mmCIF file of all heavy atoms in Angstrom:
data_model
loop_
_atom_site.group_PDB
_atom_site.id
_atom_site.type_symbol
_atom_site.label_atom_id
_atom_site.label_comp_id
_atom_site.label_asym_id
_atom_site.label_seq_id
_atom_site.Cartn_x
_atom_site.Cartn_y
_atom_site.Cartn_z
ATOM 1 N N SER A 136 -9.229 1.009 36.075
ATOM 2 C CA SER A 136 -8.790 1.417 37.407
ATOM 3 C C SER A 136 -7.315 1.761 37.313
ATOM 4 O O SER A 136 -6.647 1.441 36.344
ATOM 5 C CB SER A 136 -9.031 0.290 38.420
ATOM 6 O OG SER A 136 -8.196 -0.805 38.114
ATOM 7 N N ASP A 137 -6.792 2.392 38.358
ATOM 8 C CA ASP A 137 -5.376 2.777 38.344
ATOM 9 C C ASP A 137 -4.456 1.558 38.269
ATOM 10 O O ASP A 137 -3.335 1.652 37.832
ATOM 11 C CB ASP A 137 -5.041 3.609 39.589
ATOM 12 C CG ASP A 137 -5.589 5.020 39.468
ATOM 13 O OD1 ASP A 137 -5.477 5.607 38.380
ATOM 14 O OD2 ASP A 137 -6.140 5.526 40.459
ATOM 15 N N GLU A 138 -4.964 0.386 38.713
ATOM 16 C CA GLU A 138 -4.133 -0.808 38.692
ATOM 17 C C GLU A 138 -4.025 -1.386 37.284
ATOM 18 O O GLU A 138 -3.101 -2.122 36.988
ATOM 19 C CB GLU A 138 -4.704 -1.894 39.618
ATOM 20 C CG GLU A 138 -4.690 -1.531 41.094
ATOM 21 C CD GLU A 138 -5.866 -0.646 41.492
ATOM 22 O OE1 GLU A 138 -6.997 -0.931 41.060
ATOM 23 O OE2 GLU A 138 -5.643 0.320 42.224
ATOM 24 N N VAL A 139 -5.010 -1.104 36.429
ATOM 25 C CA VAL A 139 -5.004 -1.665 35.078
ATOM 26 C C VAL A 139 -4.041 -0.864 34.214
ATOM 27 O O VAL A 139 -4.076 0.361 34.211
ATOM 28 C CB VAL A 139 -6.428 -1.620 34.458
ATOM 29 C CG1 VAL A 139 -6.392 -2.092 33.010
ATOM 30 C CG2 VAL A 139 -7.377 -2.477 35.271
ATOM 31 N N GLY A 140 -3.187 -1.568 33.507
ATOM 32 C CA GLY A 140 -2.270 -0.885 32.586
ATOM 33 C C GLY A 140 -1.176 -0.144 33.330
ATOM 34 O O GLY A 140 -0.755 -0.540 34.403
ATOM 35 N N GLU A 141 -0.737 0.934 32.756
ATOM 36 C CA GLU A 141 0.380 1.699 33.311
ATOM 37 C C GLU A 141 -0.096 2.609 34.444
ATOM 38 O O GLU A 141 -1.219 3.071 34.451
ATOM 39 C CB GLU A 141 0.985 2.578 32.208
ATOM 40 C CG GLU A 141 1.414 1.816 30.977
ATOM 41 C CD GLU A 141 2.626 0.932 31.229
ATOM 42 O OE1 GLU A 141 3.531 1.367 31.951
ATOM 43 O OE2 GLU A 141 2.636 -0.191 30.706
ATOM 44 N N ALA A 142 0.796 2.874 35.372
ATOM 45 C CA ALA A 142 0.472 3.756 36.491
ATOM 46 C C ALA A 142 0.226 5.189 36.015
ATOM 47 O O ALA A 142 -0.490 5.940 36.662
ATOM 48 C CB ALA A 142 1.598 3.732 37.516
ATOM 49 N N ASN A 143 0.795 5.560 34.854
ATOM 50 C CA ASN A 143 0.639 6.937 34.392
ATOM 51 C C ASN A 143 -0.665 7.174 33.634
ATOM 52 O O ASN A 143 -0.937 8.272 33.207
ATOM 53 C CB ASN A 143 1.844 7.362 33.535
ATOM 54 C CG ASN A 143 1.987 6.529 32.279
ATOM 55 O OD1 ASN A 143 1.197 5.615 32.040
ATOM 56 N ND2 ASN A 143 3.001 6.821 31.488
ATOM 57 N N THR A 144 -1.485 6.127 33.456
ATOM 58 C CA THR A 144 -2.794 6.313 32.830
ATOM 59 C C THR A 144 -3.766 6.755 33.919
ATOM 60 O O THR A 144 -3.962 6.061 34.898
ATOM 61 C CB THR A 144 -3.289 4.999 32.189
ATOM 62 O OG1 THR A 144 -2.331 4.594 31.218
ATOM 63 C CG2 THR A 144 -4.634 5.179 31.517
ATOM 64 N N CYS A 145 -4.344 7.904 33.750
ATOM 65 C CA CYS A 145 -5.230 8.459 34.777
ATOM 66 C C CYS A 145 -6.630 7.876 34.624
ATOM 67 O O CYS A 145 -7.318 8.157 33.645
ATOM 68 C CB CYS A 145 -5.252 9.981 34.648
ATOM 69 S SG CYS A 145 -6.249 10.761 35.899
ATOM 70 N N ALA A 146 -7.053 7.041 35.576
ATOM 71 C CA ALA A 146 -8.349 6.357 35.483
ATOM 72 C C ALA A 146 -9.523 7.334 35.477
ATOM 73 O O ALA A 146 -10.565 7.033 34.901
ATOM 74 C CB ALA A 146 -8.500 5.363 36.627
ATOM 75 N N SER A 147 -9.366 8.505 36.089
ATOM 76 C CA SER A 147 -10.490 9.442 36.123
ATOM 77 C C SER A 147 -10.759 10.059 34.747
ATOM 78 O O SER A 147 -11.835 10.587 34.513
ATOM 79 C CB SER A 147 -10.228 10.546 37.149
ATOM 80 O OG SER A 147 -9.158 11.361 36.717
ATOM 81 N N ARG A 148 -9.791 9.977 33.830
ATOM 82 C CA ARG A 148 -9.962 10.552 32.496
ATOM 83 C C ARG A 148 -9.964 9.487 31.397
ATOM 84 O O ARG A 148 -9.947 9.822 30.218
ATOM 85 C CB ARG A 148 -8.843 11.567 32.210
ATOM 86 C CG ARG A 148 -8.882 12.773 33.114
ATOM 87 C CD ARG A 148 -7.883 13.852 32.704
ATOM 88 N NE ARG A 148 -6.493 13.397 32.752
ATOM 89 C CZ ARG A 148 -5.686 13.355 31.686
ATOM 90 N NH1 ARG A 148 -6.096 13.726 30.504
ATOM 91 N NH2 ARG A 148 -4.437 12.936 31.807
ATOM 92 N N SER A 149 -9.982 8.189 31.781
ATOM 93 C CA SER A 149 -9.815 7.123 30.797
ATOM 94 C C SER A 149 -10.840 6.008 30.958
ATOM 95 O O SER A 149 -11.371 5.796 32.045
ATOM 96 C CB SER A 149 -8.426 6.489 30.932
ATOM 97 O OG SER A 149 -7.423 7.453 30.824
ATOM 98 N N PHE A 150 -11.094 5.303 29.858
ATOM 99 C CA PHE A 150 -11.814 4.038 29.895
ATOM 100 C C PHE A 150 -11.300 3.168 28.757
ATOM 101 O O PHE A 150 -10.610 3.648 27.851
ATOM 102 C CB PHE A 150 -13.344 4.218 29.852
ATOM 103 C CG PHE A 150 -13.883 4.894 28.618
ATOM 104 C CD1 PHE A 150 -14.145 4.178 27.455
ATOM 105 C CD2 PHE A 150 -14.159 6.250 28.629
ATOM 106 C CE1 PHE A 150 -14.667 4.803 26.326
ATOM 107 C CE2 PHE A 150 -14.680 6.886 27.506
ATOM 108 C CZ PHE A 150 -14.927 6.155 26.355
ATOM 109 N N VAL A 151 -11.602 1.880 28.844
ATOM 110 C CA VAL A 151 -11.177 0.948 27.805
ATOM 111 C C VAL A 151 -12.224 0.960 26.702
ATOM 112 O O VAL A 151 -13.428 0.901 26.967
ATOM 113 C CB VAL A 151 -11.000 -0.477 28.372
ATOM 114 C CG1 VAL A 151 -10.578 -1.444 27.269
ATOM 115 C CG2 VAL A 151 -9.977 -0.472 29.509
ATOM 116 N N LEU A 152 -11.759 1.066 25.472
ATOM 117 C CA LEU A 152 -12.618 1.097 24.298
ATOM 118 C C LEU A 152 -12.164 -0.033 23.385
ATOM 119 O O LEU A 152 -10.995 -0.107 23.027
ATOM 120 C CB LEU A 152 -12.460 2.452 23.591
ATOM 121 C CG LEU A 152 -13.183 2.678 22.273
ATOM 122 C CD1 LEU A 152 -14.692 2.612 22.475
ATOM 123 C CD2 LEU A 152 -12.794 4.028 21.691
ATOM 124 N N GLY A 153 -13.097 -0.940 23.053
ATOM 125 C CA GLY A 153 -12.699 -2.077 22.236
ATOM 126 C C GLY A 153 -13.763 -2.480 21.242
ATOM 127 O O GLY A 153 -14.919 -2.075 21.329
ATOM 128 N N TRP A 154 -13.337 -3.262 20.269
ATOM 129 C CA TRP A 154 -14.220 -3.905 19.303
ATOM 130 C C TRP A 154 -13.579 -5.246 18.997
ATOM 131 O O TRP A 154 -12.497 -5.527 19.525
ATOM 132 C CB TRP A 154 -14.488 -3.014 18.090
ATOM 133 C CG TRP A 154 -13.309 -2.432 17.383
ATOM 134 C CD1 TRP A 154 -12.689 -2.914 16.275
ATOM 135 C CD2 TRP A 154 -12.609 -1.222 17.720
ATOM 136 N NE1 TRP A 154 -11.650 -2.106 15.903
ATOM 137 C CE2 TRP A 154 -11.578 -1.055 16.771
ATOM 138 C CE3 TRP A 154 -12.736 -0.281 18.742
ATOM 139 C CZ2 TRP A 154 -10.693 0.018 16.810
ATOM 140 C CZ3 TRP A 154 -11.857 0.782 18.766
ATOM 141 C CH2 TRP A 154 -10.860 0.925 17.811
ATOM 142 N N PRO A 155 -14.188 -6.090 18.186
ATOM 143 C CA PRO A 155 -13.734 -7.485 18.129
ATOM 144 C C PRO A 155 -12.238 -7.741 17.963
ATOM 145 O O PRO A 155 -11.725 -8.698 18.504
ATOM 146 C CB PRO A 155 -14.508 -8.059 16.932
ATOM 147 C CG PRO A 155 -15.775 -7.274 16.932
ATOM 148 C CD PRO A 155 -15.376 -5.886 17.356
ATOM 149 N N THR A 156 -11.507 -6.894 17.274
ATOM 150 C CA THR A 156 -10.102 -7.220 17.011
ATOM 151 C C THR A 156 -9.098 -6.402 17.816
ATOM 152 O O THR A 156 -7.896 -6.651 17.710
ATOM 153 C CB THR A 156 -9.787 -7.017 15.508
ATOM 154 O OG1 THR A 156 -10.080 -5.654 15.165
ATOM 155 C CG2 THR A 156 -10.597 -7.959 14.643
ATOM 156 N N VAL A 157 -9.554 -5.455 18.621
ATOM 157 C CA VAL A 157 -8.601 -4.538 19.258
ATOM 158 C C VAL A 157 -9.206 -3.897 20.513
ATOM 159 O O VAL A 157 -10.427 -3.830 20.645
ATOM 160 C CB VAL A 157 -8.161 -3.448 18.239
ATOM 161 C CG1 VAL A 157 -9.280 -2.488 17.955
ATOM 162 C CG2 VAL A 157 -6.921 -2.721 18.692
ATOM 163 N N ALA A 158 -8.343 -3.456 21.417
ATOM 164 C CA ALA A 158 -8.784 -2.675 22.583
ATOM 165 C C ALA A 158 -7.740 -1.616 22.882
ATOM 166 O O ALA A 158 -6.535 -1.850 22.743
ATOM 167 C CB ALA A 158 -8.989 -3.579 23.789
ATOM 168 N N PHE A 159 -8.213 -0.430 23.253
ATOM 169 C CA PHE A 159 -7.354 0.696 23.584
ATOM 170 C C PHE A 159 -7.775 1.255 24.926
ATOM 171 O O PHE A 159 -8.928 1.128 25.323
ATOM 172 C CB PHE A 159 -7.533 1.843 22.570
ATOM 173 C CG PHE A 159 -7.015 1.569 21.200
ATOM 174 C CD1 PHE A 159 -7.857 1.123 20.204
ATOM 175 C CD2 PHE A 159 -5.678 1.784 20.901
ATOM 176 C CE1 PHE A 159 -7.393 0.895 18.922
ATOM 177 C CE2 PHE A 159 -5.186 1.550 19.619
ATOM 178 C CZ PHE A 159 -6.043 1.097 18.632
ATOM 179 N N VAL A 160 -6.858 1.949 25.598
ATOM 180 C CA VAL A 160 -7.224 2.812 26.712
ATOM 181 C C VAL A 160 -7.384 4.202 26.104
ATOM 182 O O VAL A 160 -6.446 4.736 25.506
ATOM 183 C CB VAL A 160 -6.157 2.818 27.827
ATOM 184 C CG1 VAL A 160 -6.507 3.849 28.892
ATOM 185 C CG2 VAL A 160 -6.035 1.430 28.445
ATOM 186 N N ALA A 161 -8.608 4.739 26.190
ATOM 187 C CA ALA A 161 -8.907 6.067 25.644
ATOM 188 C C ALA A 161 -8.809 7.077 26.778
ATOM 189 O O ALA A 161 -9.505 6.951 27.783
ATOM 190 C CB ALA A 161 -10.308 6.076 25.037
ATOM 191 N N THR A 162 -7.923 8.059 26.627
ATOM 192 C CA THR A 162 -7.722 9.089 27.655
ATOM 193 C C THR A 162 -8.139 10.440 27.091
ATOM 194 O O THR A 162 -7.678 10.843 26.024
ATOM 195 C CB THR A 162 -6.253 9.132 28.123
ATOM 196 O OG1 THR A 162 -5.901 7.835 28.611
ATOM 197 C CG2 THR A 162 -6.058 10.163 29.229
ATOM 198 N N PHE A 163 -9.013 11.111 27.829
ATOM 199 C CA PHE A 163 -9.576 12.397 27.406
ATOM 200 C C PHE A 163 -8.934 13.529 28.185
ATOM 201 O O PHE A 163 -8.255 13.308 29.183
ATOM 202 C CB PHE A 163 -11.099 12.383 27.597
ATOM 203 C CG PHE A 163 -11.778 11.367 26.726
ATOM 204 C CD1 PHE A 163 -11.915 10.055 27.150
ATOM 205 C CD2 PHE A 163 -12.230 11.707 25.461
ATOM 206 C CE1 PHE A 163 -12.501 9.103 26.328
ATOM 207 C CE2 PHE A 163 -12.816 10.764 24.639
ATOM 208 C CZ PHE A 163 -12.961 9.455 25.071
ATOM 209 N N SER A 164 -9.189 14.764 27.760
ATOM 210 C CA SER A 164 -8.551 15.928 28.378
ATOM 211 C C SER A 164 -9.086 16.240 29.773
ATOM 212 O O SER A 164 -8.424 16.917 30.545
ATOM 213 C CB SER A 164 -8.700 17.155 27.468
ATOM 214 O OG SER A 164 -10.081 17.415 27.254
ATOM 215 N N SER A 165 -10.292 15.753 30.100
ATOM 216 C CA SER A 165 -10.860 16.008 31.432
ATOM 217 C C SER A 165 -11.740 14.839 31.849
ATOM 218 O O SER A 165 -12.190 14.057 31.004
ATOM 219 C CB SER A 165 -11.696 17.291 31.424
ATOM 220 O OG SER A 165 -12.877 17.090 30.649
ATOM 221 N N SER A 166 -12.008 14.724 33.138
ATOM 222 C CA SER A 166 -12.890 13.650 33.623
ATOM 223 C C SER A 166 -14.330 13.899 33.158
ATOM 224 O O SER A 166 -15.070 12.950 32.893
ATOM 225 C CB SER A 166 -12.815 13.520 35.141
ATOM 226 O OG SER A 166 -13.091 14.746 35.763
ATOM 227 N N GLU A 167 -14.707 15.185 33.012
ATOM 228 C CA GLU A 167 -16.065 15.494 32.530
ATOM 229 C C GLU A 167 -16.248 15.018 31.088
ATOM 230 O O GLU A 167 -17.277 14.438 30.741
ATOM 231 C CB GLU A 167 -16.340 17.004 32.604
ATOM 232 C CG GLU A 167 -16.399 17.587 34.004
ATOM 233 C CD GLU A 167 -15.019 17.838 34.619
ATOM 234 O OE1 GLU A 167 -14.019 17.905 33.885
ATOM 235 O OE2 GLU A 167 -14.953 17.949 35.864
ATOM 236 N N LEU A 168 -15.242 15.259 30.248
ATOM 237 C CA LEU A 168 -15.322 14.820 28.856
ATOM 238 C C LEU A 168 -15.324 13.292 28.776
ATOM 239 O O LEU A 168 -16.062 12.703 27.990
ATOM 240 C CB LEU A 168 -14.159 15.408 28.052
ATOM 241 C CG LEU A 168 -14.217 15.215 26.538
ATOM 242 C CD1 LEU A 168 -15.506 15.798 25.953
ATOM 243 C CD2 LEU A 168 -12.996 15.842 25.875
ATOM 244 N N LYS A 169 -14.520 12.657 29.621
ATOM 245 C CA LYS A 169 -14.504 11.192 29.674
ATOM 246 C C LYS A 169 -15.897 10.662 30.033
ATOM 247 O O LYS A 169 -16.415 9.747 29.393
ATOM 248 C CB LYS A 169 -13.476 10.703 30.686
ATOM 249 C CG LYS A 169 -13.533 9.200 30.944
ATOM 250 C CD LYS A 169 -13.880 8.933 32.384
ATOM 251 C CE LYS A 169 -13.963 7.464 32.671
ATOM 252 N NZ LYS A 169 -14.180 7.154 34.068
ATOM 253 N N GLU A 170 -16.540 11.240 31.037
ATOM 254 C CA GLU A 170 -17.877 10.791 31.450
ATOM 255 C C GLU A 170 -18.903 11.016 30.341
ATOM 256 O O GLU A 170 -19.771 10.176 30.106
ATOM 257 C CB GLU A 170 -18.326 11.508 32.726
ATOM 258 C CG GLU A 170 -17.595 11.041 33.970
ATOM 259 C CD GLU A 170 -17.722 9.538 34.214
ATOM 260 O OE1 GLU A 170 -18.799 8.952 33.953
ATOM 261 O OE2 GLU A 170 -16.727 8.935 34.644
ATOM 262 N N LYS A 171 -18.807 12.153 29.663
ATOM 263 C CA LYS A 171 -19.728 12.450 28.557
ATOM 264 C C LYS A 171 -19.585 11.394 27.461
ATOM 265 O O LYS A 171 -20.571 10.873 26.947
ATOM 266 C CB LYS A 171 -19.440 13.855 28.011
ATOM 267 C CG LYS A 171 -20.322 14.267 26.851
ATOM 268 C CD LYS A 171 -19.985 15.676 26.379
ATOM 269 C CE LYS A 171 -20.857 16.071 25.195
ATOM 270 N NZ LYS A 171 -20.546 17.413 24.709
ATOM 271 N N TRP A 172 -18.328 11.080 27.095
ATOM 272 C CA TRP A 172 -18.088 10.082 26.058
ATOM 273 C C TRP A 172 -18.546 8.700 26.499
ATOM 274 O O TRP A 172 -19.194 7.983 25.735
ATOM 275 C CB TRP A 172 -16.595 10.040 25.679
ATOM 276 C CG TRP A 172 -16.308 10.926 24.523
ATOM 277 C CD1 TRP A 172 -15.813 12.199 24.559
ATOM 278 C CD2 TRP A 172 -16.531 10.626 23.148
ATOM 279 N NE1 TRP A 172 -15.705 12.698 23.283
ATOM 280 C CE2 TRP A 172 -16.134 11.748 22.397
ATOM 281 C CE3 TRP A 172 -17.027 9.513 22.468
ATOM 282 C CZ2 TRP A 172 -16.224 11.793 21.007
ATOM 283 C CZ3 TRP A 172 -17.106 9.559 21.087
ATOM 284 C CH2 TRP A 172 -16.710 10.684 20.373
ATOM 285 N N HIS A 173 -18.209 8.322 27.725
ATOM 286 C CA HIS A 173 -18.541 6.980 28.203
ATOM 287 C C HIS A 173 -20.052 6.781 28.242
ATOM 288 O O HIS A 173 -20.570 5.776 27.758
ATOM 289 C CB HIS A 173 -17.907 6.731 29.584
ATOM 290 C CG HIS A 173 -17.883 5.295 29.968
ATOM 291 N ND1 HIS A 173 -18.574 4.812 31.038
ATOM 292 C CD2 HIS A 173 -17.265 4.228 29.393
ATOM 293 C CE1 HIS A 173 -18.376 3.510 31.121
ATOM 294 N NE2 HIS A 173 -17.586 3.126 30.145
ATOM 295 N N SER A 174 -20.794 7.741 28.781
ATOM 296 C CA SER A 174 -22.253 7.597 28.866
ATOM 297 C C SER A 174 -22.896 7.652 27.477
ATOM 298 O O SER A 174 -23.820 6.879 27.188
ATOM 299 C CB SER A 174 -22.859 8.644 29.804
ATOM 300 O OG SER A 174 -22.638 9.940 29.313
ATOM 301 N N SER A 175 -22.402 8.541 26.597
ATOM 302 C CA SER A 175 -22.959 8.617 25.240
ATOM 303 C C SER A 175 -22.690 7.336 24.460
ATOM 304 O O SER A 175 -23.582 6.802 23.790
ATOM 305 C CB SER A 175 -22.364 9.809 24.481
ATOM 306 O OG SER A 175 -22.731 11.011 25.096
ATOM 307 N N LEU A 176 -21.467 6.837 24.551
ATOM 308 C CA LEU A 176 -21.136 5.584 23.860
ATOM 309 C C LEU A 176 -22.026 4.448 24.355
ATOM 310 O O LEU A 176 -22.595 3.708 23.549
ATOM 311 C CB LEU A 176 -19.664 5.220 24.087
ATOM 312 C CG LEU A 176 -18.686 5.716 23.037
ATOM 313 C CD1 LEU A 176 -17.256 5.469 23.492
ATOM 314 C CD2 LEU A 176 -18.925 5.052 21.693
ATOM 315 N N GLN A 177 -22.155 4.316 25.680
ATOM 316 C CA GLN A 177 -22.978 3.229 26.227
ATOM 317 C C GLN A 177 -24.423 3.324 25.733
ATOM 318 O O GLN A 177 -25.022 2.333 25.349
ATOM 319 C CB GLN A 177 -22.951 3.232 27.762
ATOM 320 C CG GLN A 177 -21.766 2.528 28.354
ATOM 321 C CD GLN A 177 -21.574 1.130 27.775
ATOM 322 O OE1 GLN A 177 -20.495 0.803 27.298
ATOM 323 N NE2 GLN A 177 -22.592 0.296 27.779
ATOM 324 N N ARG A 178 -24.963 4.528 25.722
ATOM 325 C CA ARG A 178 -26.345 4.731 25.283
ATOM 326 C C ARG A 178 -26.523 4.287 23.828
ATOM 327 O O ARG A 178 -27.432 3.535 23.493
ATOM 328 C CB ARG A 178 -26.729 6.198 25.451
ATOM 329 C CG ARG A 178 -28.117 6.492 24.961
ATOM 330 C CD ARG A 178 -28.536 7.911 25.276
ATOM 331 N NE ARG A 178 -29.846 8.141 24.685
ATOM 332 C CZ ARG A 178 -30.188 9.257 24.080
ATOM 333 N NH1 ARG A 178 -29.354 10.251 24.007
ATOM 334 N NH2 ARG A 178 -31.390 9.381 23.565
ATOM 335 N N TYR A 179 -25.643 4.762 22.950
ATOM 336 C CA TYR A 179 -25.806 4.460 21.525
ATOM 337 C C TYR A 179 -25.367 3.042 21.170
ATOM 338 O O TYR A 179 -25.892 2.447 20.233
ATOM 339 C CB TYR A 179 -25.107 5.527 20.675
ATOM 340 C CG TYR A 179 -25.917 6.805 20.695
ATOM 341 C CD1 TYR A 179 -25.609 7.846 21.551
ATOM 342 C CD2 TYR A 179 -27.048 6.937 19.891
ATOM 343 C CE1 TYR A 179 -26.383 8.994 21.601
ATOM 344 C CE2 TYR A 179 -27.823 8.082 19.929
ATOM 345 C CZ TYR A 179 -27.491 9.110 20.783
ATOM 346 O OH TYR A 179 -28.273 10.234 20.833
ATOM 347 N N ILE A 180 -24.434 2.470 21.922
ATOM 348 C CA ILE A 180 -24.084 1.051 21.744
ATOM 349 C C ILE A 180 -25.301 0.196 22.080
ATOM 350 O O ILE A 180 -25.663 -0.718 21.336
ATOM 351 C CB ILE A 180 -22.878 0.660 22.625
ATOM 352 C CG1 ILE A 180 -21.591 1.268 22.064
ATOM 353 C CG2 ILE A 180 -22.750 -0.862 22.742
ATOM 354 C CD1 ILE A 180 -20.399 1.166 23.012
ATOM 355 N N ASN A 181 -25.949 0.500 23.209
ATOM 356 C CA ASN A 181 -27.141 -0.267 23.609
ATOM 357 C C ASN A 181 -28.257 -0.137 22.573
ATOM 358 O O ASN A 181 -28.905 -1.126 22.235
ATOM 359 C CB ASN A 181 -27.633 0.170 24.991
ATOM 360 C CG ASN A 181 -26.673 -0.244 26.092
ATOM 361 O OD1 ASN A 181 -25.855 -1.150 25.919
ATOM 362 N ND2 ASN A 181 -26.762 0.428 27.224
ATOM 363 N N LEU A 182 -28.473 1.072 22.059
ATOM 364 C CA LEU A 182 -29.507 1.264 21.031
ATOM 365 C C LEU A 182 -29.175 0.482 19.765
ATOM 366 O O LEU A 182 -30.049 -0.148 19.161
ATOM 367 C CB LEU A 182 -29.658 2.752 20.698
ATOM 368 C CG LEU A 182 -30.343 3.619 21.745
ATOM 369 C CD1 LEU A 182 -30.230 5.097 21.378
ATOM 370 C CD2 LEU A 182 -31.808 3.220 21.906
#
């Protein structure tokens, strides 16, 4: 969300990406690309 992290991180183009030792805010060039990545990652993580 806009409250998480820095105010200049655009929540519509970003999500948190993590694994056991690290977490990043991943920011993409567009909200559409962010949604594509987020849904694809969730699908293949679940599989």
Side-chain angles (χ1 to χ4, degrees):
S136 66
D137 285 318
E138 294 81 44
V139 175
E141 305 291 321
N143 62 359
T144 301
C145 182
S147 68
R148 295 187 299 119
S149 304
F150 61 84
V151 179
L152 175 63
W154 52 96
T156 58
V157 71
F159 291 96
V160 174
T162 303
F163 296 86
S164 59
S165 69
S166 55
E167 294 79 19
L168 189 57
K169 172 242 179 175
E170 287 303 323
K171 179 179 179 181
W172 267 98
H173 196 244
S174 63
S175 296
L176 267 172
Q177 276 309 127
R178 177 174 176 221
Y179 286 98
I180 288 169
N181 291 340
L182 287 171

